[in-house]
Every structure is written in structure tokens, then in C-alpha cells.
């Protein structure tokens, strides 16, 4: 990544939407976050050559609201920005746990189609989860305590336009749109794909993405378990990030 790589990517609206001052000082903070992770080596923070270019940058209509999710940011910049904000990108496992929320006990009137990965009892067993919903119904009818996880990251566990932002023409007005899921998190289904901190696999340098976006119309792409991936240099109006600060990561003791 050189100066040209960031010159046309970072812009005032992105800084503002992520809580950074939309100024040269905010821009320096962003760059310092990148440099802190080993990117932009040798870049001069004192050089303001990029500022005129940034001030002219205009986003596509419907993607530049001050409270909208940031887009057009690649994996490297996402890592740097998360670091600059005192956090990091979540792992895929953390993303999936956050999306699904806690396990819920299934009742006779539960909509089992909205749930998956069932198990019996109060303790999660080490055996593979139950996926046969017919078996689950029989277990519930027999008085067994059956628990399951949401199939989608919504409060209901289902996919519907009231709880998920998909098959749309643009982003919602706010990044924290919609009702909260089981962990009180908003905007977990659709909106923008969120970069994960890990590689998709060990065979290539592509990075994982989770959650689906405003453009997706295939329900399978929006499931909590679905794994997307793309090259870390790729930017898109469909890609964004969510910063996590876990207790072990926090500088506050």
C-alpha cells in the first residue's frame, strides 16, 4: 500500500461516520492506525498533499450519511482503523456467536424453521448438534428440554424486511438500524458485509466477510453460518466493518 492506495479511499464522511474528526488530524489518526499495523511504511503524516483530493471526494448517493455504515474500505484499512480506535476486527467465530445470540429453549409453538443447531439439556453437548426438525418436534412433545440457535441474526431468528436490510437499493440511514437481536446488537443481518480478522482458509490470502449486505437477495447468503470472502485489497459499497473491543484487548484495566 502506497500513498496512491489511500489517496482516493479515505474521505471526510468516512471519518465522521466512524467517530473520527473529519479533519487533517482525524486523517492522521486513521493513517497512524494503519502504520501501527505495519502498513504505509514511510508515509509522511505531515504531508497534506492528499487533503485537496479528499475534500473533493463525493460518495454515491445514499452512501454518505453521517450515521450510515462506512463502506469502500478494504481489509487492510479496516484493521488499521479498528486499531486506531482501540479495538480490532472480530474473528469469524466471534461474529457468528454475536449474530446468533444465546440459545433459546424451543416450545411446542416455536417456529423451528427460524432455528438450527439444536441440542437437548441445559449443557451444550460435545456431540454434533441436531438438525432434523422432525426429531426436535418429537423431543419437545416428549417433554425434553430442547435448545436452538437463531438461523439469522434477528430477534425472531427469521429473515424478514422488518428485522434485516437486504434486497434494497441503498444502505439504511443508520448503521444501528432495526430491532436488537438476542445480544442487544443491531444491524447484524444485511446492511454491509463485515470484514473478519482472519483468513478464509489456509490456502489463499483472501479474508472472510460475514452478515450479508443491502444488495443480497439470496436468503442463504444472509444466514448466521454463511461465510463470504474476498481479496483484502477489495473495496465495495457492500463491504464495511464492525470494531470489537474485548476485555483482553482493552487498554483500560
Amino acid at each position: 500500500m502506497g500513498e496512491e492506495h489511500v489517496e482516493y479511499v479515505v474521505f471526510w464522511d468516512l471519518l465522521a461516520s466512524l467517530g473520527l474528526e473529519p479533519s487533517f488530524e482525524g486523517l492522521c489518526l486513521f493513517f497512524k492506525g494503519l502504520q501501527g499495523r505495519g502498513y504505509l511504511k514511510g508515509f509522511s503524516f505531515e504531508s497534506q498533499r492528499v487533503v485537496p483530493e479528499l475534500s473533493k471526494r463525493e460518495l454515491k448517493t445514499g452512501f454518505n450519511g453521517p450515521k450510515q455504515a462506512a463502506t469502500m474500505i478494504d481489509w487492510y484499512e479496516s484493521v488499521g482503523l479498528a486499531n486506531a480506535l482501540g479495538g480490532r476486527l472480530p474473528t469469524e467465530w466471534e461474529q457468528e456467536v454475536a449474530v446468533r445470540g444465546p440459545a433459546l429453549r424451543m416450545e411446542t409453538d416455536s417456529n423451528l424453521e427460524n432455528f438450527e443447531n439444536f441440542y437437548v439439556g441445559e449443557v451444550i453437548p460435545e456431540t454434533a448438534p441436531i438438525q432434523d426438525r422432525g426429531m426436535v418436534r418429537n423431543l419437545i412433545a416428549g417433554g425434553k428440554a430442547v435448545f436452538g440457535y437463531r438461523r439469522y441474526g434477528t430477534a425472531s431468528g427469521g429473515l424478514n424486511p422488518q428485522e434485516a436490510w437486504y434486497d434494497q437499493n441503498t444502505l439504511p440511514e443508520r448503521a444501528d438500524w432495526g430491532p436488537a437481536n438476542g445480544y442487544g446488537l443491531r444491524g447484524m443481518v444485511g446492511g454491509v458485509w463485515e470484514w473478519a480478522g482472519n483468513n478464509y482458509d489456509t490456502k489463499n490470502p483472501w479474508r472472510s466477510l460475514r452478515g450479508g449486505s443491502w444488495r443480497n437477495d439470496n436468503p442463504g447468503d444472509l444466514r448466521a453460518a454463511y461465510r463470504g470472502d474476498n481479496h483484502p485489497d477489495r473495496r465495495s459499497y457492500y463491504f464495511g466493518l464492525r470494531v470489537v473491543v474485548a476485555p483482553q484487548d482493552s487498554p483500560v484495566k
Side-chain angles (χ1 to χ4, degrees):
M1 289 176 62
E3 292 181 29
E4 295 78 10
H5 183 73
V6 299
E7 188 170 53
Y8 62 94
V9 178
V10 186
F11 34 79
W12 303 143
D13 286 331
L14 182 148
L15 295 175
S17 69
L18 289 163
L20 293 175
E21 180 68 27
S23 63
F24 181 64
E25 289 72 21
L27 183 65
C28 286
L29 177 61
F30 179 90
F31 285 163
K32 286 177 181 177
L34 295 179
Q35 192 177 55
R37 297 298 294 241
Y39 309 119
L40 302 179
K41 293 181 178 178
F43 186 85
S44 171
F45 297 117
E46 285 67 41
S47 171
Q48 298 192 29
R49 184 178 65 83
V50 297
V51 174
E53 297 295 325
L54 296 172
S55 63
K56 296 175 184 176
R57 176 71 177 180
E58 291 184 2
L59 288 176
K60 188 176 179 181
T61 301
F63 293 83
N64 60 348
K67 295 187 180 299
Q68 286 183 311
T71 62
M72 293 297 289
I73 182 168
D74 69 23
W75 184 85
Y76 296 107
E77 293 151 352
S78 297
V79 168
L81 181 55
N83 182 68
L85 294 174
R88 58 177 173 80
L89 295 184
T91 66
E92 273 194 275
W93 171 245
E94 289 171 325
Q95 285 175 313
E96 185 167 340
V97 169
V99 167
R100 289 190 187 278
L104 296 179
R105 181 167 179 169
M106 301 293 100
E107 306 294 345
T108 54
D109 59 348
S110 296
N111 185 350
L112 298 184
E113 296 304 316
N114 290 350
F115 295 85
E116 58 190 1
N117 297 346
F118 303 96
Y119 63 92
V120 179
E122 299 287 343
V123 179
I124 301 175
E126 296 183 1
T127 55
I130 302 169
Q131 304 295 359
D132 185 335
R133 292 179 176 82
M135 180 186 296
V136 170
R137 290 187 181 91
N138 290 335
L139 289 168
I140 295 172
K144 297 291 186 181
V146 181
F147 294 81
Y149 289 95
R150 295 169 176 84
R151 193 176 188 195
Y152 297 93
T154 59
S156 68
L159 185 64
N160 60 76
Q162 289 72 45
E163 297 184 284
W165 194 274
Y166 63 101
D167 197 16
Q168 300 285 338
N169 295 319
T170 187
L171 284 172
E173 293 183 358
R174 298 178 60 93
D176 57 346
W177 53 270
N181 74 354
Y183 280 138
L185 302 173
R186 301 177 186 273
M188 299 298 286
V189 186
V192 293
W193 287 99
E194 298 176 7
W195 287 110
N198 56 281
N199 286 26
Y200 185 79
D201 58 39
T202 59
K203 298 178 181 179
N204 61 57
W206 285 35
R207 301 308 198 275
S208 297
L209 291 149
R210 289 283 190 135
S213 78
W214 56 270
R215 187 186 184 195
N216 290 105
D217 57 5
N218 180 359
D221 295 343
L222 298 155
R223 285 182 56 212
Y226 185 80
R227 303 180 68 212
D229 66 316
N230 218 297
H231 195 279
D233 277 334
R234 175 74 187 278
R235 296 183 201 84
S236 171
Y237 284 108
Y238 320 132
F239 297 171
L241 74 153
R242 187 179 297 258
V243 177
V244 60
V245 179
Q248 64 269 26
D249 305 320
S250 175
V252 180
K253 303 300 182 182

